[in-house]
Amino acid sequence: MPFGIASFRSRQQVFAFEAALSRGGVRAEVVSTPREVALGCGLSVRFDLTEYPRVTDIYRRTRLNNLIGFYRVTPVNYGRPQISALPVN
């Protein structure tokens, strides 16, 4: 099942964003960034894609400035996941 990630350049920002999402009622967790994104600090925040509008709203309110991007991750059996960039509304 596809899911979303937010990738940052700073681990501090990853943990700050995960905490902001949790305070905002969005279930999120810190995960390793997929190789296909290959930028940043190696950690990302994972979230359910149905929550994406709330995720971007919370992102705008937090004013974090080290975002690399939001991505849709689609796991593939026995292969690398498919990664596509999500628009920041």
PDB file of all heavy atoms in Angstrom, residues 5 8 13-14 17-19 21-23 25-26 32 38 40 42 45 47 49 59-61 65-66 68 74 76 83 88:
ATOM      1  N   ILE A   5       6.121  10.244   2.401  1.00  0.00           N
ATOM      2  CA  ILE A   5       7.233  10.615   3.273  1.00  0.00           C
ATOM      3  C   ILE A   5       7.558  12.087   3.049  1.00  0.00           C
ATOM      4  O   ILE A   5       7.345  12.638   1.968  1.00  0.00           O
ATOM      5  CB  ILE A   5       8.507   9.765   3.055  1.00  0.00           C
ATOM      6  CG1 ILE A   5       9.058   9.915   1.644  1.00  0.00           C
ATOM      7  CG2 ILE A   5       8.282   8.314   3.434  1.00  0.00           C
ATOM      8  CD1 ILE A   5      10.466   9.340   1.468  1.00  0.00           C
ATOM      9  N   PHE A   8      13.883  15.637   4.826  1.00  0.00           N
ATOM     10  CA  PHE A   8      14.536  16.882   5.245  1.00  0.00           C
ATOM     11  C   PHE A   8      16.055  16.732   5.186  1.00  0.00           C
ATOM     12  O   PHE A   8      16.583  15.625   5.191  1.00  0.00           O
ATOM     13  CB  PHE A   8      14.135  17.228   6.686  1.00  0.00           C
ATOM     14  CG  PHE A   8      12.705  17.645   6.836  1.00  0.00           C
ATOM     15  CD1 PHE A   8      11.709  16.696   7.013  1.00  0.00           C
ATOM     16  CD2 PHE A   8      12.340  18.976   6.800  1.00  0.00           C
ATOM     17  CE1 PHE A   8      10.386  17.061   7.157  1.00  0.00           C
ATOM     18  CE2 PHE A   8      11.021  19.360   6.942  1.00  0.00           C
ATOM     19  CZ  PHE A   8      10.044  18.400   7.117  1.00  0.00           C
ATOM     20  N   GLN A  13      15.103  18.578  12.089  1.00  0.00           N
ATOM     21  CA  GLN A  13      13.867  18.969  11.432  1.00  0.00           C
ATOM     22  C   GLN A  13      12.931  17.771  11.255  1.00  0.00           C
ATOM     23  O   GLN A  13      11.721  17.903  11.351  1.00  0.00           O
ATOM     24  CB  GLN A  13      14.170  19.616  10.093  1.00  0.00           C
ATOM     25  CG  GLN A  13      15.051  20.844  10.202  1.00  0.00           C
ATOM     26  CD  GLN A  13      14.286  22.129  10.091  1.00  0.00           C
ATOM     27  OE1 GLN A  13      13.456  22.274   9.232  1.00  0.00           O
ATOM     28  NE2 GLN A  13      14.590  23.061  10.965  1.00  0.00           N
ATOM     29  N   VAL A  14      13.496  16.595  10.980  1.00  0.00           N
ATOM     30  CA  VAL A  14      12.687  15.377  10.856  1.00  0.00           C
ATOM     31  C   VAL A  14      11.921  15.145  12.150  1.00  0.00           C
ATOM     32  O   VAL A  14      10.696  14.943  12.146  1.00  0.00           O
ATOM     33  CB  VAL A  14      13.573  14.150  10.514  1.00  0.00           C
ATOM     34  CG1 VAL A  14      12.800  12.845  10.684  1.00  0.00           C
ATOM     35  CG2 VAL A  14      14.122  14.263   9.105  1.00  0.00           C
ATOM     36  N   PHE A  17       9.252  17.824  12.802  1.00  0.00           N
ATOM     37  CA  PHE A  17       8.066  17.681  11.962  1.00  0.00           C
ATOM     38  C   PHE A  17       7.223  16.494  12.412  1.00  0.00           C
ATOM     39  O   PHE A  17       5.989  16.584  12.456  1.00  0.00           O
ATOM     40  CB  PHE A  17       8.465  17.544  10.489  1.00  0.00           C
ATOM     41  CG  PHE A  17       7.292  17.638   9.558  1.00  0.00           C
ATOM     42  CD1 PHE A  17       6.428  18.712   9.590  1.00  0.00           C
ATOM     43  CD2 PHE A  17       7.048  16.644   8.623  1.00  0.00           C
ATOM     44  CE1 PHE A  17       5.340  18.800   8.731  1.00  0.00           C
ATOM     45  CE2 PHE A  17       5.978  16.713   7.752  1.00  0.00           C
ATOM     46  CZ  PHE A  17       5.114  17.806   7.806  1.00  0.00           C
ATOM     47  N   GLU A  18       7.862  15.397  12.772  1.00  0.00           N
ATOM     48  CA  GLU A  18       7.110  14.236  13.267  1.00  0.00           C
ATOM     49  C   GLU A  18       6.323  14.623  14.515  1.00  0.00           C
ATOM     50  O   GLU A  18       5.156  14.265  14.675  1.00  0.00           O
ATOM     51  CB  GLU A  18       8.072  13.077  13.550  1.00  0.00           C
ATOM     52  CG  GLU A  18       7.374  11.770  13.913  1.00  0.00           C
ATOM     53  CD  GLU A  18       7.108  11.620  15.396  1.00  0.00           C
ATOM     54  OE1 GLU A  18       7.807  12.258  16.200  1.00  0.00           O
ATOM     55  OE2 GLU A  18       6.188  10.861  15.749  1.00  0.00           O
ATOM     56  N   ALA A  19       6.930  15.380  15.403  1.00  0.00           N
ATOM     57  CA  ALA A  19       6.253  15.829  16.626  1.00  0.00           C
ATOM     58  C   ALA A  19       5.093  16.767  16.290  1.00  0.00           C
ATOM     59  O   ALA A  19       4.017  16.674  16.888  1.00  0.00           O
ATOM     60  CB  ALA A  19       7.239  16.511  17.563  1.00  0.00           C
ATOM     61  N   LEU A  21       3.336  16.828  13.515  1.00  0.00           N
ATOM     62  CA  LEU A  21       2.254  16.021  12.951  1.00  0.00           C
ATOM     63  C   LEU A  21       1.494  15.299  14.059  1.00  0.00           C
ATOM     64  O   LEU A  21       0.258  15.277  14.053  1.00  0.00           O
ATOM     65  CB  LEU A  21       2.795  15.014  11.939  1.00  0.00           C
ATOM     66  CG  LEU A  21       3.321  15.584  10.621  1.00  0.00           C
ATOM     67  CD1 LEU A  21       3.887  14.463   9.757  1.00  0.00           C
ATOM     68  CD2 LEU A  21       2.240  16.339   9.871  1.00  0.00           C
ATOM     69  N   SER A  22       2.201  14.717  14.990  1.00  0.00           N
ATOM     70  CA  SER A  22       1.549  14.006  16.097  1.00  0.00           C
ATOM     71  C   SER A  22       0.666  14.947  16.905  1.00  0.00           C
ATOM     72  O   SER A  22      -0.463  14.591  17.242  1.00  0.00           O
ATOM     73  CB  SER A  22       2.598  13.359  17.008  1.00  0.00           C
ATOM     74  OG  SER A  22       3.268  12.333  16.310  1.00  0.00           O
ATOM     75  N   ARG A  23       1.173  16.150  17.195  1.00  0.00           N
ATOM     76  CA  ARG A  23       0.359  17.138  17.918  1.00  0.00           C
ATOM     77  C   ARG A  23      -0.874  17.528  17.115  1.00  0.00           C
ATOM     78  O   ARG A  23      -1.916  17.833  17.680  1.00  0.00           O
ATOM     79  CB  ARG A  23       1.186  18.392  18.228  1.00  0.00           C
ATOM     80  CG  ARG A  23       2.157  18.229  19.360  1.00  0.00           C
ATOM     81  CD  ARG A  23       2.736  19.567  19.809  1.00  0.00           C
ATOM     82  NE  ARG A  23       3.352  20.321  18.721  1.00  0.00           N
ATOM     83  CZ  ARG A  23       4.603  20.181  18.299  1.00  0.00           C
ATOM     84  NH1 ARG A  23       5.399  19.292  18.867  1.00  0.00           N
ATOM     85  NH2 ARG A  23       5.072  20.910  17.314  1.00  0.00           N
ATOM     86  N   GLY A  25      -2.580  15.557  15.275  1.00  0.00           N
ATOM     87  CA  GLY A  25      -3.481  14.422  15.122  1.00  0.00           C
ATOM     88  C   GLY A  25      -3.202  13.542  13.921  1.00  0.00           C
ATOM     89  O   GLY A  25      -4.019  12.698  13.563  1.00  0.00           O
ATOM     90  N   VAL A  26      -2.040  13.717  13.290  1.00  0.00           N
ATOM     91  CA  VAL A  26      -1.657  12.889  12.145  1.00  0.00           C
ATOM     92  C   VAL A  26      -0.703  11.807  12.631  1.00  0.00           C
ATOM     93  O   VAL A  26       0.321  12.111  13.249  1.00  0.00           O
ATOM     94  CB  VAL A  26      -0.972  13.732  11.044  1.00  0.00           C
ATOM     95  CG1 VAL A  26      -0.471  12.840   9.913  1.00  0.00           C
ATOM     96  CG2 VAL A  26      -1.914  14.795  10.521  1.00  0.00           C
ATOM     97  N   SER A  32      13.768   5.315   7.747  1.00  0.00           N
ATOM     98  CA  SER A  32      14.922   5.533   6.877  1.00  0.00           C
ATOM     99  C   SER A  32      14.437   6.037   5.522  1.00  0.00           C
ATOM    100  O   SER A  32      13.447   5.541   4.985  1.00  0.00           O
ATOM    101  CB  SER A  32      15.696   4.233   6.673  1.00  0.00           C
ATOM    102  OG  SER A  32      16.272   3.813   7.872  1.00  0.00           O
ATOM    103  N   ALA A  38      17.657   9.615  -1.909  1.00  0.00           N
ATOM    104  CA  ALA A  38      19.115   9.775  -1.850  1.00  0.00           C
ATOM    105  C   ALA A  38      19.614  11.170  -1.517  1.00  0.00           C
ATOM    106  O   ALA A  38      20.682  11.548  -1.929  1.00  0.00           O
ATOM    107  CB  ALA A  38      19.743   9.299  -3.161  1.00  0.00           C
ATOM    108  N   GLY A  40      19.570  14.319   1.759  1.00  0.00           N
ATOM    109  CA  GLY A  40      19.189  14.619   3.122  1.00  0.00           C
ATOM    110  C   GLY A  40      19.974  13.853   4.163  1.00  0.00           C
ATOM    111  O   GLY A  40      21.062  13.352   3.922  1.00  0.00           O
ATOM    112  N   GLY A  42      19.119  11.068   5.797  1.00  0.00           N
ATOM    113  CA  GLY A  42      18.933   9.627   5.904  1.00  0.00           C
ATOM    114  C   GLY A  42      17.667   9.210   6.621  1.00  0.00           C
ATOM    115  O   GLY A  42      17.346   8.035   6.680  1.00  0.00           O
ATOM    116  N   VAL A  45       9.971  11.396   7.497  1.00  0.00           N
ATOM    117  CA  VAL A  45       8.736  11.206   8.261  1.00  0.00           C
ATOM    118  C   VAL A  45       7.734  10.509   7.358  1.00  0.00           C
ATOM    119  O   VAL A  45       7.423  11.003   6.270  1.00  0.00           O
ATOM    120  CB  VAL A  45       8.173  12.549   8.756  1.00  0.00           C
ATOM    121  CG1 VAL A  45       6.886  12.322   9.544  1.00  0.00           C
ATOM    122  CG2 VAL A  45       9.197  13.290   9.599  1.00  0.00           C
ATOM    123  N   PHE A  47       3.918   9.036   6.572  1.00  0.00           N
ATOM    124  CA  PHE A  47       2.533   9.357   6.905  1.00  0.00           C
ATOM    125  C   PHE A  47       1.608   8.699   5.891  1.00  0.00           C
ATOM    126  O   PHE A  47       2.037   8.294   4.809  1.00  0.00           O
ATOM    127  CB  PHE A  47       2.307  10.876   6.929  1.00  0.00           C
ATOM    128  CG  PHE A  47       2.682  11.561   5.646  1.00  0.00           C
ATOM    129  CD1 PHE A  47       1.771  11.693   4.610  1.00  0.00           C
ATOM    130  CD2 PHE A  47       3.964  12.055   5.459  1.00  0.00           C
ATOM    131  CE1 PHE A  47       2.116  12.301   3.412  1.00  0.00           C
ATOM    132  CE2 PHE A  47       4.326  12.669   4.270  1.00  0.00           C
ATOM    133  CZ  PHE A  47       3.403  12.788   3.237  1.00  0.00           C
ATOM    134  N   LEU A  49      -1.092   8.659   3.049  1.00  0.00           N
ATOM    135  CA  LEU A  49      -1.380   9.600   1.958  1.00  0.00           C
ATOM    136  C   LEU A  49      -2.745  10.272   2.085  1.00  0.00           C
ATOM    137  O   LEU A  49      -2.923  11.383   1.598  1.00  0.00           O
ATOM    138  CB  LEU A  49      -1.271   8.896   0.605  1.00  0.00           C
ATOM    139  CG  LEU A  49       0.149   8.643   0.129  1.00  0.00           C
ATOM    140  CD1 LEU A  49       0.141   7.750  -1.108  1.00  0.00           C
ATOM    141  CD2 LEU A  49       0.872   9.953  -0.158  1.00  0.00           C
ATOM    142  N   TYR A  59       2.855  21.480   7.803  1.00  0.00           N
ATOM    143  CA  TYR A  59       4.190  21.896   7.358  1.00  0.00           C
ATOM    144  C   TYR A  59       4.259  23.416   7.191  1.00  0.00           C
ATOM    145  O   TYR A  59       5.197  24.058   7.648  1.00  0.00           O
ATOM    146  CB  TYR A  59       4.561  21.207   6.039  1.00  0.00           C
ATOM    147  CG  TYR A  59       5.806  21.797   5.440  1.00  0.00           C
ATOM    148  CD1 TYR A  59       7.043  21.561   6.021  1.00  0.00           C
ATOM    149  CD2 TYR A  59       5.739  22.628   4.333  1.00  0.00           C
ATOM    150  CE1 TYR A  59       8.197  22.132   5.506  1.00  0.00           C
ATOM    151  CE2 TYR A  59       6.887  23.193   3.809  1.00  0.00           C
ATOM    152  CZ  TYR A  59       8.110  22.952   4.402  1.00  0.00           C
ATOM    153  OH  TYR A  59       9.238  23.533   3.893  1.00  0.00           O
ATOM    154  N   ARG A  60       3.263  23.999   6.542  1.00  0.00           N
ATOM    155  CA  ARG A  60       3.264  25.462   6.340  1.00  0.00           C
ATOM    156  C   ARG A  60       3.254  26.205   7.667  1.00  0.00           C
ATOM    157  O   ARG A  60       3.886  27.245   7.804  1.00  0.00           O
ATOM    158  CB  ARG A  60       2.066  25.878   5.491  1.00  0.00           C
ATOM    159  CG  ARG A  60       2.309  25.695   4.007  1.00  0.00           C
ATOM    160  CD  ARG A  60       1.247  26.388   3.173  1.00  0.00           C
ATOM    161  NE  ARG A  60      -0.030  25.707   3.188  1.00  0.00           N
ATOM    162  CZ  ARG A  60      -0.301  24.571   2.566  1.00  0.00           C
ATOM    163  NH1 ARG A  60       0.644  23.969   1.878  1.00  0.00           N
ATOM    164  NH2 ARG A  60      -1.491  24.031   2.620  1.00  0.00           N
ATOM    165  N   ARG A  61       2.552  25.676   8.645  1.00  0.00           N
ATOM    166  CA  ARG A  61       2.470  26.349   9.950  1.00  0.00           C
ATOM    167  C   ARG A  61       3.742  26.186  10.777  1.00  0.00           C
ATOM    168  O   ARG A  61       4.019  27.027  11.630  1.00  0.00           O
ATOM    169  CB  ARG A  61       1.251  25.850  10.732  1.00  0.00           C
ATOM    170  CG  ARG A  61      -0.042  26.399  10.144  1.00  0.00           C
ATOM    171  CD  ARG A  61      -1.245  26.088  11.000  1.00  0.00           C
ATOM    172  NE  ARG A  61      -1.728  24.753  10.679  1.00  0.00           N
ATOM    173  CZ  ARG A  61      -2.021  23.832  11.572  1.00  0.00           C
ATOM    174  NH1 ARG A  61      -1.891  24.056  12.851  1.00  0.00           N
ATOM    175  NH2 ARG A  61      -2.453  22.649  11.195  1.00  0.00           N
ATOM    176  N   ASN A  65      12.513  24.904   7.411  1.00  0.00           N
ATOM    177  CA  ASN A  65      13.073  25.369   6.142  1.00  0.00           C
ATOM    178  C   ASN A  65      14.051  24.409   5.476  1.00  0.00           C
ATOM    179  O   ASN A  65      14.695  24.776   4.517  1.00  0.00           O
ATOM    180  CB  ASN A  65      13.741  26.735   6.334  1.00  0.00           C
ATOM    181  CG  ASN A  65      14.852  26.682   7.350  1.00  0.00           C
ATOM    182  OD1 ASN A  65      15.168  25.636   7.888  1.00  0.00           O
ATOM    183  ND2 ASN A  65      15.439  27.818   7.634  1.00  0.00           N
ATOM    184  N   ASN A  66      14.183  23.196   5.968  1.00  0.00           N
ATOM    185  CA  ASN A  66      15.128  22.248   5.375  1.00  0.00           C
ATOM    186  C   ASN A  66      14.444  21.113   4.636  1.00  0.00           C
ATOM    187  O   ASN A  66      15.019  20.039   4.478  1.00  0.00           O
ATOM    188  CB  ASN A  66      16.047  21.661   6.457  1.00  0.00           C
ATOM    189  CG  ASN A  66      17.133  22.634   6.857  1.00  0.00           C
ATOM    190  OD1 ASN A  66      17.598  23.401   6.033  1.00  0.00           O
ATOM    191  ND2 ASN A  66      17.525  22.602   8.104  1.00  0.00           N
ATOM    192  N   ILE A  68      13.353  18.771   1.800  1.00  0.00           N
ATOM    193  CA  ILE A  68      13.791  18.381   0.459  1.00  0.00           C
ATOM    194  C   ILE A  68      12.557  18.181  -0.402  1.00  0.00           C
ATOM    195  O   ILE A  68      12.491  18.643  -1.528  1.00  0.00           O
ATOM    196  CB  ILE A  68      14.644  17.098   0.505  1.00  0.00           C
ATOM    197  CG1 ILE A  68      15.949  17.398   1.226  1.00  0.00           C
ATOM    198  CG2 ILE A  68      14.890  16.561  -0.896  1.00  0.00           C
ATOM    199  CD1 ILE A  68      16.760  16.174   1.544  1.00  0.00           C
ATOM    200  N   THR A  74       5.557   3.762  -3.302  1.00  0.00           N
ATOM    201  CA  THR A  74       4.736   2.596  -3.619  1.00  0.00           C
ATOM    202  C   THR A  74       5.627   1.364  -3.553  1.00  0.00           C
ATOM    203  O   THR A  74       6.477   1.165  -4.421  1.00  0.00           O
ATOM    204  CB  THR A  74       4.107   2.725  -5.025  1.00  0.00           C
ATOM    205  OG1 THR A  74       3.384   3.949  -5.106  1.00  0.00           O
ATOM    206  CG2 THR A  74       3.179   1.557  -5.320  1.00  0.00           C
ATOM    207  N   VAL A  76       7.033  -2.284  -4.012  1.00  0.00           N
ATOM    208  CA  VAL A  76       6.944  -3.240  -5.115  1.00  0.00           C
ATOM    209  C   VAL A  76       7.478  -4.573  -4.608  1.00  0.00           C
ATOM    210  O   VAL A  76       8.537  -4.619  -3.970  1.00  0.00           O
ATOM    211  CB  VAL A  76       7.778  -2.756  -6.322  1.00  0.00           C
ATOM    212  CG1 VAL A  76       7.751  -3.780  -7.442  1.00  0.00           C
ATOM    213  CG2 VAL A  76       7.283  -1.405  -6.811  1.00  0.00           C
ATOM    214  N   ILE A  83       9.085   5.705  -6.403  1.00  0.00           N
ATOM    215  CA  ILE A  83       9.050   6.978  -5.702  1.00  0.00           C
ATOM    216  C   ILE A  83       8.624   8.059  -6.672  1.00  0.00           C
ATOM    217  O   ILE A  83       9.151   8.139  -7.788  1.00  0.00           O
ATOM    218  CB  ILE A  83      10.446   7.353  -5.146  1.00  0.00           C
ATOM    219  CG1 ILE A  83      11.065   6.205  -4.345  1.00  0.00           C
ATOM    220  CG2 ILE A  83      10.389   8.645  -4.353  1.00  0.00           C
ATOM    221  CD1 ILE A  83      10.470   5.955  -3.011  1.00  0.00           C
ATOM    222  N   VAL A  88       3.724  20.379  -3.402  1.00  0.00           N
ATOM    223  CA  VAL A  88       3.488  21.095  -2.151  1.00  0.00           C
ATOM    224  C   VAL A  88       2.459  22.173  -2.481  1.00  0.00           C
ATOM    225  O   VAL A  88       2.759  23.107  -3.208  1.00  0.00           O
ATOM    226  CB  VAL A  88       4.788  21.720  -1.601  1.00  0.00           C
ATOM    227  CG1 VAL A  88       4.501  22.456  -0.299  1.00  0.00           C
ATOM    228  CG2 VAL A  88       5.847  20.657  -1.393  1.00  0.00           C
TER     229      VAL A  88
END
